[in-house]
Amino acid sequence: INDVSSKSQIRYFGALAEFNFDLGKIKQAELLYKSGIEIAQKNSDETDKAWINAAKILYLLNDGKLIEAKKYLELIEKLKSNNSLSINTLDLSVTKAVIAGFEGDTSKSKEYFDIAEKDLVKNFNNDKPNTYFLRFWQSKVALFQKDYEKLKSISEKYLDVAKKYNSKDSLLLIYINLTKAYLGTGNLSKAKEAINRSIELLETKR
């Protein structure tokens, strides 16, 4: 891709990073993201820098860096209001839901996740990448809040999608989350089944 514009390269690396992140391939996503950032830093176009930094919010949230993530969110919302940056409403709703969830505002988090859920059906027809994206972050917030009933419900939905597409990378994470959910709700037999499936998936990766 060396023969294309820096703007196209930034979009290319950003899109690939987001796709890998949604599939649970965190390390691969981080490498792709860093490649996009390096190009963006050399580019004087502020919109390009903001576009790639939109992805950075989720990496910051994944590391629990709320203050930094909120700063990037403010920048992105400002650019979006000026029509200087295009970011879909589902991404924005999920980002706000995660921040609210990590800050302990359960009702606000639920409100934004509900908006994202409706958006997923209405505007994205429950497509694979956006469904993965939503379920991944719903699971993460539920686990953070130690709401094991919710984690169980979300993980079971997430599992149905992963099985449908035979997404082995996502299945491992889902079964680990299900193990935690079943333990948290006192269902030891189900927890044992889930951890055994996790072990089987790990064995196949060796």
Side-chain angles (χ1 to χ4, degrees):
I1 61 171
N2 292 328
D3 59 336
V4 298
S5 69
S6 61
K7 185 184 292 290
S8 296
Q9 290 185 48
I10 292 167
R11 299 292 193 273
Y12 173 83
F13 281 115
L16 277 181
E18 184 176 341
F19 178 71
N20 277 274
F21 191 82
D22 292 348
L23 293 179
K25 299 178 180 179
I26 309 300
K27 289 185 179 179
Q28 294 95 316
E30 286 177 348
L31 289 173
L32 289 162
Y33 165 73
K34 286 176 183 176
S35 297
I37 280 291
E38 287 173 6
I39 298 168
Q41 295 304 330
K42 297 174 184 177
N43 192 333
S44 59
D45 189 323
E46 291 302 315
T47 302
D48 279 347
K49 290 179 182 178
W51 188 89
I52 193 68
N53 281 332
K56 188 171 184 176
I57 291 179
L58 297 176
Y59 297 101
L60 291 169
L61 289 173
N62 197 51
D63 290 337
K65 297 177 180 177
L66 278 176
I67 295 175
E68 292 179 58
K70 288 174 75 172
K71 287 179 182 177
Y72 281 107
L73 178 61
E74 288 173 10
L75 170 63
I76 286 162
E77 288 195 298
K78 181 180 178 181
L79 287 167
K80 190 176 186 296
S81 66
N82 295 334
N83 295 316
S84 301
L85 182 68
S86 176
I87 179 171
N88 72 51
T89 52
L90 189 144
D91 285 352
L92 204 54
S93 296
V94 169
T95 300
K96 290 179 179 180
V98 175
I99 289 174
F102 283 179
E103 287 184 323
D105 192 337
T106 307
S107 61
K108 184 66 73 175
S109 181
K110 183 181 183 303
E111 178 185 332
Y112 283 124
F113 271 136
D114 286 346
I115 292 170
E117 196 84 50
K118 291 175 183 176
D119 205 10
L120 177 66
V121 177
K122 182 179 178 181
N123 297 319
F124 297 95
N125 197 31
N126 288 307
D127 68 351
K128 177 181 174 182
N130 284 293
T131 301
Y132 277 24
F133 175 69
L134 178 57
R135 301 295 176 234
F136 175 87
W137 285 105
Q138 284 177 320
S139 301
K140 200 163 185 69
V141 171
L143 183 59
F144 175 82
Q145 295 176 339
K146 297 182 180 179
D147 188 336
Y148 296 111
E149 282 291 348
K150 184 183 290 184
L151 179 62
K152 179 173 76 70
S153 175
I154 293 165
S155 297
E156 286 172 349
K157 291 178 184 177
Y158 197 175
L159 180 62
D160 289 339
V161 179
K163 283 182 174 179
K164 178 181 177 182
Y165 294 108
N166 193 29
S167 302
K168 293 182 180 178
D169 287 311
S170 297
L171 283 171
L172 178 58
L173 172 64
I174 295 166
Y175 279 117
I176 289 172
N177 280 343
L178 276 172
T179 301
K180 294 174 182 177
Y182 290 136
L183 284 173
T185 55
N187 194 332
L188 298 184
S189 62
K190 281 284 190 179
K192 186 177 180 180
E193 287 178 19
I195 196 63
N196 284 339
R197 288 294 293 120
S198 301
I199 293 168
E200 288 171 13
L201 287 165
L202 279 172
E203 290 295 330
T204 60
K205 284 179 173 286
R206 290 183 180 179

Short mmCIF file of all heavy atoms in Angstrom, two decimals, residues 149-193:
data_model
loop_
_atom_site.label_atom_id
_atom_site.label_comp_id
_atom_site.label_asym_id
_atom_site.label_seq_id
_atom_site.Cartn_x
_atom_site.Cartn_y
_atom_site.Cartn_z
N GLU A 149 -25.30 -12.11 36.21
CA GLU A 149 -26.51 -12.49 35.47
C GLU A 149 -26.49 -11.85 34.08
O GLU A 149 -26.81 -12.49 33.08
CB GLU A 149 -27.77 -12.07 36.22
CG GLU A 149 -28.14 -12.97 37.38
CD GLU A 149 -28.63 -14.35 36.92
OE1 GLU A 149 -28.89 -14.53 35.71
OE2 GLU A 149 -28.74 -15.25 37.77
N LYS A 150 -26.13 -10.57 34.05
CA LYS A 150 -26.06 -9.87 32.78
C LYS A 150 -24.93 -10.43 31.92
O LYS A 150 -25.08 -10.61 30.71
CB LYS A 150 -25.83 -8.37 33.01
CG LYS A 150 -25.85 -7.54 31.72
CD LYS A 150 -25.56 -6.08 31.99
CE LYS A 150 -26.70 -5.41 32.71
NZ LYS A 150 -26.48 -3.95 32.90
N LEU A 151 -23.79 -10.72 32.55
CA LEU A 151 -22.66 -11.30 31.82
C LEU A 151 -23.05 -12.63 31.19
O LEU A 151 -22.69 -12.92 30.05
CB LEU A 151 -21.47 -11.49 32.76
CG LEU A 151 -20.21 -12.11 32.14
CD1 LEU A 151 -19.65 -11.22 31.03
CD2 LEU A 151 -19.14 -12.35 33.22
N LYS A 152 -23.81 -13.42 31.92
CA LYS A 152 -24.27 -14.71 31.41
C LYS A 152 -25.17 -14.52 30.19
O LYS A 152 -25.01 -15.17 29.15
CB LYS A 152 -25.02 -15.49 32.50
CG LYS A 152 -25.55 -16.85 32.04
CD LYS A 152 -26.12 -17.63 33.22
CE LYS A 152 -27.47 -17.13 33.65
NZ LYS A 152 -28.55 -17.45 32.66
N SER A 153 -26.13 -13.61 30.33
CA SER A 153 -27.09 -13.35 29.24
C SER A 153 -26.38 -12.86 27.98
O SER A 153 -26.64 -13.35 26.87
CB SER A 153 -28.11 -12.32 29.71
OG SER A 153 -28.97 -11.96 28.66
N ILE A 154 -25.48 -11.90 28.15
CA ILE A 154 -24.76 -11.33 27.00
C ILE A 154 -23.84 -12.37 26.37
O ILE A 154 -23.78 -12.51 25.14
CB ILE A 154 -23.93 -10.11 27.44
CG1 ILE A 154 -24.86 -8.97 27.86
CG2 ILE A 154 -23.01 -9.64 26.31
CD1 ILE A 154 -24.18 -7.88 28.64
N SER A 155 -23.12 -13.12 27.21
CA SER A 155 -22.17 -14.11 26.71
C SER A 155 -22.87 -15.23 25.95
O SER A 155 -22.34 -15.75 24.96
CB SER A 155 -21.35 -14.69 27.86
OG SER A 155 -20.56 -13.69 28.47
N GLU A 156 -24.06 -15.58 26.38
CA GLU A 156 -24.83 -16.62 25.67
C GLU A 156 -25.26 -16.13 24.29
O GLU A 156 -25.24 -16.88 23.31
CB GLU A 156 -26.02 -17.06 26.51
CG GLU A 156 -25.61 -17.94 27.70
CD GLU A 156 -26.74 -18.23 28.67
OE1 GLU A 156 -27.82 -17.59 28.54
OE2 GLU A 156 -26.57 -19.10 29.55
N LYS A 157 -25.63 -14.84 24.21
CA LYS A 157 -25.97 -14.25 22.90
C LYS A 157 -24.72 -14.17 22.02
O LYS A 157 -24.77 -14.46 20.82
CB LYS A 157 -26.53 -12.84 23.10
CG LYS A 157 -27.90 -12.78 23.75
CD LYS A 157 -28.34 -11.34 23.93
CE LYS A 157 -29.66 -11.23 24.66
NZ LYS A 157 -30.05 -9.81 24.89
N TYR A 158 -23.62 -13.75 22.64
CA TYR A 158 -22.33 -13.64 21.95
C TYR A 158 -21.91 -15.02 21.43
O TYR A 158 -21.42 -15.16 20.29
CB TYR A 158 -21.31 -13.11 22.96
CG TYR A 158 -20.03 -12.53 22.42
CD1 TYR A 158 -19.12 -11.94 23.30
CD2 TYR A 158 -19.70 -12.57 21.07
CE1 TYR A 158 -17.94 -11.39 22.84
CE2 TYR A 158 -18.51 -12.03 20.62
CZ TYR A 158 -17.63 -11.44 21.50
OH TYR A 158 -16.45 -10.92 21.05
N LEU A 159 -22.14 -16.05 22.22
CA LEU A 159 -21.78 -17.41 21.85
C LEU A 159 -22.56 -17.87 20.62
O LEU A 159 -22.00 -18.52 19.72
CB LEU A 159 -22.04 -18.36 23.02
CG LEU A 159 -21.71 -19.84 22.81
CD1 LEU A 159 -20.22 -20.03 22.54
CD2 LEU A 159 -22.13 -20.65 24.03
N ASP A 160 -23.84 -17.54 20.56
CA ASP A 160 -24.66 -17.92 19.41
C ASP A 160 -24.10 -17.35 18.11
O ASP A 160 -24.03 -18.03 17.09
CB ASP A 160 -26.10 -17.43 19.60
CG ASP A 160 -26.85 -18.21 20.66
OD1 ASP A 160 -26.43 -19.35 20.97
OD2 ASP A 160 -27.85 -17.69 21.19
N VAL A 161 -23.67 -16.08 18.18
CA VAL A 161 -23.12 -15.42 16.98
C VAL A 161 -21.77 -16.04 16.60
O VAL A 161 -21.51 -16.32 15.42
CB VAL A 161 -22.93 -13.90 17.22
CG1 VAL A 161 -22.33 -13.23 15.98
CG2 VAL A 161 -24.26 -13.25 17.59
N ALA A 162 -20.92 -16.27 17.59
CA ALA A 162 -19.60 -16.84 17.33
C ALA A 162 -19.70 -18.25 16.74
O ALA A 162 -18.94 -18.62 15.84
CB ALA A 162 -18.78 -16.87 18.61
N LYS A 163 -20.66 -19.04 17.24
CA LYS A 163 -20.87 -20.38 16.69
C LYS A 163 -21.38 -20.31 15.25
O LYS A 163 -20.98 -21.10 14.40
CB LYS A 163 -21.86 -21.16 17.56
CG LYS A 163 -21.28 -21.70 18.84
CD LYS A 163 -22.32 -22.50 19.60
CE LYS A 163 -21.73 -23.18 20.84
NZ LYS A 163 -22.77 -23.94 21.58
N LYS A 164 -22.26 -19.36 15.00
CA LYS A 164 -22.83 -19.18 13.67
C LYS A 164 -21.73 -18.94 12.64
O LYS A 164 -21.77 -19.47 11.53
CB LYS A 164 -23.81 -18.01 13.67
CG LYS A 164 -24.42 -17.70 12.32
CD LYS A 164 -25.37 -16.51 12.41
CE LYS A 164 -25.92 -16.13 11.06
NZ LYS A 164 -26.82 -14.94 11.14
N TYR A 165 -20.73 -18.13 13.02
CA TYR A 165 -19.65 -17.79 12.09
C TYR A 165 -18.38 -18.59 12.33
O TYR A 165 -17.36 -18.35 11.70
CB TYR A 165 -19.33 -16.29 12.20
CG TYR A 165 -20.45 -15.40 11.73
CD1 TYR A 165 -21.23 -14.67 12.64
CD2 TYR A 165 -20.76 -15.29 10.38
CE1 TYR A 165 -22.26 -13.85 12.21
CE2 TYR A 165 -21.79 -14.46 9.94
CZ TYR A 165 -22.54 -13.75 10.86
OH TYR A 165 -23.57 -12.95 10.43
N ASN A 166 -18.46 -19.55 13.26
CA ASN A 166 -17.31 -20.39 13.60
C ASN A 166 -16.07 -19.56 13.92
O ASN A 166 -14.97 -19.82 13.40
CB ASN A 166 -17.01 -21.37 12.45
CG ASN A 166 -16.05 -22.47 12.87
OD1 ASN A 166 -16.01 -22.86 14.04
ND2 ASN A 166 -15.26 -22.96 11.93
N SER A 167 -16.24 -18.56 14.76
CA SER A 167 -15.15 -17.65 15.12
C SER A 167 -14.41 -18.17 16.35
O SER A 167 -14.74 -17.84 17.49
CB SER A 167 -15.71 -16.25 15.39
OG SER A 167 -16.40 -15.78 14.26
N LYS A 168 -13.40 -18.97 16.11
CA LYS A 168 -12.67 -19.63 17.21
C LYS A 168 -11.94 -18.64 18.11
O LYS A 168 -11.82 -18.87 19.31
CB LYS A 168 -11.71 -20.66 16.64
CG LYS A 168 -12.42 -21.84 15.98
CD LYS A 168 -11.44 -22.87 15.46
CE LYS A 168 -12.20 -24.04 14.81
NZ LYS A 168 -11.28 -25.05 14.25
N ASP A 169 -11.46 -17.54 17.53
CA ASP A 169 -10.76 -16.54 18.35
C ASP A 169 -11.71 -15.93 19.38
O ASP A 169 -11.32 -15.63 20.50
CB ASP A 169 -10.18 -15.44 17.46
CG ASP A 169 -8.97 -15.91 16.67
OD1 ASP A 169 -8.07 -16.50 17.27
OD2 ASP A 169 -8.94 -15.70 15.45
N SER A 170 -12.95 -15.72 18.99
CA SER A 170 -13.92 -15.15 19.92
C SER A 170 -14.45 -16.18 20.90
O SER A 170 -14.75 -15.86 22.05
CB SER A 170 -15.11 -14.56 19.13
OG SER A 170 -14.69 -13.50 18.32
N LEU A 171 -14.54 -17.44 20.47
CA LEU A 171 -15.11 -18.48 21.33
C LEU A 171 -14.34 -18.65 22.63
O LEU A 171 -14.93 -18.85 23.69
CB LEU A 171 -15.14 -19.82 20.58
CG LEU A 171 -16.27 -19.98 19.55
CD1 LEU A 171 -16.05 -21.24 18.72
CD2 LEU A 171 -17.63 -20.03 20.24
N LEU A 172 -13.02 -18.57 22.57
CA LEU A 172 -12.21 -18.74 23.77
C LEU A 172 -12.56 -17.67 24.81
O LEU A 172 -12.80 -17.99 25.98
CB LEU A 172 -10.72 -18.67 23.43
CG LEU A 172 -9.75 -18.79 24.61
CD1 LEU A 172 -9.96 -20.10 25.35
CD2 LEU A 172 -8.31 -18.69 24.12
N LEU A 173 -12.61 -16.42 24.38
CA LEU A 173 -12.96 -15.33 25.29
C LEU A 173 -14.36 -15.52 25.87
O LEU A 173 -14.60 -15.31 27.06
CB LEU A 173 -12.88 -13.99 24.54
CG LEU A 173 -13.40 -12.76 25.30
CD1 LEU A 173 -12.53 -12.48 26.52
CD2 LEU A 173 -13.43 -11.54 24.37
N ILE A 174 -15.29 -15.94 25.02
CA ILE A 174 -16.68 -16.11 25.45
C ILE A 174 -16.81 -17.20 26.51
O ILE A 174 -17.49 -17.03 27.53
CB ILE A 174 -17.59 -16.43 24.24
CG1 ILE A 174 -17.63 -15.25 23.28
CG2 ILE A 174 -19.00 -16.78 24.72
CD1 ILE A 174 -18.21 -15.57 21.92
N TYR A 175 -16.13 -18.33 26.28
CA TYR A 175 -16.21 -19.43 27.27
C TYR A 175 -15.55 -19.05 28.59
O TYR A 175 -16.00 -19.46 29.66
CB TYR A 175 -15.60 -20.70 26.70
CG TYR A 175 -16.55 -21.45 25.80
CD1 TYR A 175 -16.26 -21.64 24.45
CD2 TYR A 175 -17.75 -21.98 26.29
CE1 TYR A 175 -17.15 -22.33 23.60
CE2 TYR A 175 -18.64 -22.65 25.46
CZ TYR A 175 -18.33 -22.83 24.12
OH TYR A 175 -19.20 -23.49 23.30
N ILE A 176 -14.51 -18.24 28.53
CA ILE A 176 -13.88 -17.76 29.77
C ILE A 176 -14.86 -16.86 30.52
O ILE A 176 -15.02 -16.96 31.75
CB ILE A 176 -12.56 -17.01 29.46
CG1 ILE A 176 -11.50 -18.01 28.99
CG2 ILE A 176 -12.07 -16.25 30.70
CD1 ILE A 176 -10.23 -17.36 28.47
N ASN A 177 -15.52 -15.97 29.79
CA ASN A 177 -16.52 -15.09 30.41
C ASN A 177 -17.70 -15.89 30.96
O ASN A 177 -18.24 -15.58 32.03
CB ASN A 177 -17.03 -14.06 29.40
CG ASN A 177 -16.08 -12.90 29.23
OD1 ASN A 177 -15.21 -12.67 30.06
ND2 ASN A 177 -16.24 -12.15 28.15
N LEU A 178 -18.12 -16.93 30.23
CA LEU A 178 -19.21 -17.77 30.70
C LEU A 178 -18.82 -18.50 31.99
O LEU A 178 -19.64 -18.66 32.89
CB LEU A 178 -19.61 -18.78 29.63
CG LEU A 178 -20.59 -18.26 28.57
CD1 LEU A 178 -20.75 -19.29 27.45
CD2 LEU A 178 -21.96 -17.93 29.18
N THR A 179 -17.57 -18.94 32.06
CA THR A 179 -17.08 -19.59 33.28
C THR A 179 -17.23 -18.65 34.47
O THR A 179 -17.74 -19.03 35.54
CB THR A 179 -15.60 -20.00 33.13
OG1 THR A 179 -15.46 -20.88 32.03
CG2 THR A 179 -15.10 -20.68 34.40
N LYS A 180 -16.80 -17.39 34.29
CA LYS A 180 -16.91 -16.40 35.36
C LYS A 180 -18.37 -16.11 35.71
O LYS A 180 -18.73 -15.96 36.88
CB LYS A 180 -16.21 -15.11 34.92
CG LYS A 180 -14.71 -15.25 34.75
CD LYS A 180 -14.08 -13.99 34.19
CE LYS A 180 -12.59 -14.15 33.97
NZ LYS A 180 -11.97 -12.95 33.37
N ALA A 181 -19.22 -16.05 34.66
CA ALA A 181 -20.64 -15.76 34.88
C ALA A 181 -21.31 -16.89 35.66
O ALA A 181 -22.08 -16.63 36.61
CB ALA A 181 -21.34 -15.56 33.54
N TYR A 182 -21.04 -18.12 35.27
CA TYR A 182 -21.66 -19.27 35.96
C TYR A 182 -21.15 -19.40 37.39
O TYR A 182 -21.92 -19.72 38.30
CB TYR A 182 -21.39 -20.55 35.18
CG TYR A 182 -22.14 -20.63 33.86
CD1 TYR A 182 -21.51 -21.07 32.70
CD2 TYR A 182 -23.49 -20.27 33.77
CE1 TYR A 182 -22.18 -21.14 31.49
CE2 TYR A 182 -24.18 -20.34 32.56
CZ TYR A 182 -23.52 -20.78 31.42
OH TYR A 182 -24.19 -20.85 30.23
N LEU A 183 -19.88 -19.13 37.60
CA LEU A 183 -19.33 -19.15 38.96
C LEU A 183 -19.99 -18.06 39.79
O LEU A 183 -20.34 -18.28 40.96
CB LEU A 183 -17.81 -18.96 38.94
CG LEU A 183 -16.98 -20.16 38.50
CD1 LEU A 183 -15.51 -19.76 38.36
CD2 LEU A 183 -17.10 -21.31 39.50
N GLY A 184 -20.14 -16.89 39.19
CA GLY A 184 -20.74 -15.75 39.89
C GLY A 184 -22.19 -15.97 40.26
O GLY A 184 -22.69 -15.41 41.24
N THR A 185 -22.88 -16.79 39.46
CA THR A 185 -24.30 -17.07 39.75
C THR A 185 -24.48 -18.40 40.47
O THR A 185 -25.61 -18.84 40.69
CB THR A 185 -25.12 -17.10 38.43
OG1 THR A 185 -24.54 -18.02 37.51
CG2 THR A 185 -25.15 -15.72 37.79
N GLY A 186 -23.36 -19.05 40.83
CA GLY A 186 -23.43 -20.27 41.62
C GLY A 186 -23.74 -21.54 40.85
O GLY A 186 -24.06 -22.57 41.44
N ASN A 187 -23.63 -21.48 39.52
CA ASN A 187 -23.90 -22.68 38.71
C ASN A 187 -22.58 -23.38 38.41
O ASN A 187 -21.97 -23.19 37.34
CB ASN A 187 -24.61 -22.27 37.41
CG ASN A 187 -25.22 -23.46 36.69
OD1 ASN A 187 -24.75 -24.58 36.81
ND2 ASN A 187 -26.26 -23.20 35.92
N LEU A 188 -22.14 -24.22 39.33
CA LEU A 188 -20.82 -24.83 39.23
C LEU A 188 -20.72 -25.84 38.09
O LEU A 188 -19.66 -25.95 37.45
CB LEU A 188 -20.47 -25.52 40.56
CG LEU A 188 -20.38 -24.59 41.78
CD1 LEU A 188 -19.94 -25.37 43.01
CD2 LEU A 188 -19.41 -23.45 41.52
N SER A 189 -21.78 -26.58 37.82
CA SER A 189 -21.72 -27.57 36.74
C SER A 189 -21.57 -26.89 35.38
O SER A 189 -20.79 -27.35 34.53
CB SER A 189 -22.98 -28.45 36.76
OG SER A 189 -24.14 -27.66 36.53
N LYS A 190 -22.29 -25.79 35.17
CA LYS A 190 -22.17 -25.04 33.93
C LYS A 190 -20.79 -24.39 33.81
O LYS A 190 -20.22 -24.30 32.72
CB LYS A 190 -23.26 -23.97 33.86
CG LYS A 190 -24.62 -24.48 33.45
CD LYS A 190 -24.65 -24.75 31.94
CE LYS A 190 -26.05 -25.03 31.46
NZ LYS A 190 -26.10 -25.27 30.00
N ALA A 191 -20.27 -23.93 34.95
CA ALA A 191 -18.94 -23.32 34.96
C ALA A 191 -17.89 -24.34 34.55
O ALA A 191 -16.96 -24.03 33.79
CB ALA A 191 -18.63 -22.77 36.35
N LYS A 192 -18.05 -25.56 35.03
CA LYS A 192 -17.11 -26.63 34.69
C LYS A 192 -17.17 -26.94 33.19
O LYS A 192 -16.13 -27.13 32.54
CB LYS A 192 -17.43 -27.90 35.49
CG LYS A 192 -16.43 -29.02 35.30
CD LYS A 192 -16.77 -30.21 36.18
CE LYS A 192 -15.75 -31.34 35.97
NZ LYS A 192 -16.07 -32.51 36.82
N GLU A 193 -18.37 -26.97 32.63
CA GLU A 193 -18.52 -27.21 31.19
C GLU A 193 -17.83 -26.12 30.38
O GLU A 193 -17.14 -26.40 29.39
CB GLU A 193 -20.01 -27.24 30.82
CG GLU A 193 -20.75 -28.48 31.27
CD GLU A 193 -22.24 -28.41 30.91
OE1 GLU A 193 -22.60 -27.60 30.02
OE2 GLU A 193 -23.03 -29.14 31.54
#
